[in-house]
Amino acid sequence: MSDLLDFHAPDGLLTRGTVLVVPGRGETPETYTRLGGRLAFDAYRVRVLAPPGGTLTARDLSDALAGTAPGDGGVAAPVVLLGVDAGAVALAALYARGDVPGADALVLAGLPAPGPVVPEAASWDEELGIRTACPTHRGRLTGDVGVRRGALAEPVPPALLAAAYAARPAVPTLVLSGELDPLADHAALAGLAKSLGRARYVLVRGAHHDVLNDLQHRSVAAEVAGFLETLREQLVPRVAVQSSTW
């Protein structure tokens, strides 16, 4: 398993922004190969970090971000930090401390509720059922020797979770959660989004905890890409529905 996984915009296209992905409990950078490739196809530079083994620091993010700059220029803006599960908690907690390098937006996916939810004796099949219904993602998780089975039973430190839910990032924030995610507190997530100045809370119908990698992954990736594009336009959507019968 590598510590970083990189995805580049196609040759000849202007890079439209930079996305740093911080995975969650038990995952590896390779867990986000599908998402990284899709966003890169839309000309975004994507770098997936290893999940934080301890406290994620602003220096970790700064170093990772610096490594995305091409030799003939700086880091492509806008810069978006995307955290999943404990990675989302770590990013939000950094914002709570006011200790974040220059970033233009934040995506929090699968932010867990306080307290352990999965019993330590849960089988791998049970953990997969909590994570996803997507057979491709299940196969990737099962076949990746770097994935730590049982990791979802490891509680996120309560102080870190409290800091995450108390965070009030000033940057635009997209919050993503699966409708069937047993680790989520949907009321708390909606409250968090409403407390922020510029935020959108998206509930993905039928999705489980791994909301970026479940059966709805194409729609979710489109939502993330749409957020990135809208961010480039100062949060003014390029596409506005004028009439619809569905």
Side-chain angles (χ1 to χ4, degrees):
M1 183 189 74
S2 62
D3 291 333
L4 296 168
L5 189 61
D6 288 306
F7 301 88
H8 300 268
D11 290 341
L13 295 183
L14 177 68
T15 301
R16 298 180 64 76
T18 304
V19 182
L20 289 186
V21 180
V22 183
R25 287 170 289 180
E27 298 176 329
T28 70
E30 285 74 17
T31 304
Y32 293 94
T33 297
R34 189 161 58 183
L35 176 70
R38 184 164 288 129
L39 295 180
F41 184 78
D42 282 335
Y44 286 91
R45 174 72 162 90
V46 182
R47 168 164 281 188
V48 188
L49 287 63
T55 301
L56 181 71
T57 68
R59 179 63 181 270
D60 295 331
L61 297 175
S62 295
D63 289 349
L65 188 61
T68 66
D72 57 350
V75 175
V79 173
V80 179
L81 305 178
L82 190 162
V84 187
D85 180 64
V89 174
L91 286 180
L94 279 178
Y95 273 94
R97 297 197 300 266
D99 189 21
V100 179
D104 300 295
L106 182 63
V107 179
L108 304 176
L111 192 67
V117 177
V118 184
E120 292 185 8
S123 69
W124 178 237
D125 282 343
E126 289 172 325
E127 184 172 348
L128 285 175
I130 289 167
R131 284 186 175 276
T132 180
C134 176
T136 300
H137 185 46
R138 282 173 173 247
R140 179 179 291 279
L141 291 173
T142 300
D144 187 343
V145 296
V147 169
R148 289 189 301 106
R149 301 187 180 194
L152 287 183
E154 301 168 3
V156 179
L160 203 62
L161 271 169
Y165 278 92
R168 297 296 180 265
V171 296
T173 302
L174 175 64
V175 181
L176 295 162
S177 183
E179 180 186 28
L180 302 182
D181 181 1
L183 308 188
D185 183 334
H186 298 304
L189 291 172
L192 173 63
K194 289 179 181 178
S195 72
L196 305 180
R198 293 176 293 172
R200 172 178 289 182
Y201 174 46
V202 176
L203 189 65
V204 182
R205 293 179 179 174
H208 298 72
H209 183 61
D210 291 6
V211 66
L212 296 172
N213 277 309
D214 212 345
L215 289 170
Q216 305 81 356
H217 62 90
R218 293 177 181 82
S219 296
V220 175
E223 181 72 24
V224 174
F227 176 65
L228 298 176
E229 289 294 304
T230 302
L231 185 66
R232 287 173 50 87
E233 299 296 326
Q234 291 73 52
L235 298 183
V236 178
R238 280 288 184 94
V239 178
V241 176
Q242 299 299 303
S243 177
S244 177
T245 59
W246 53 270

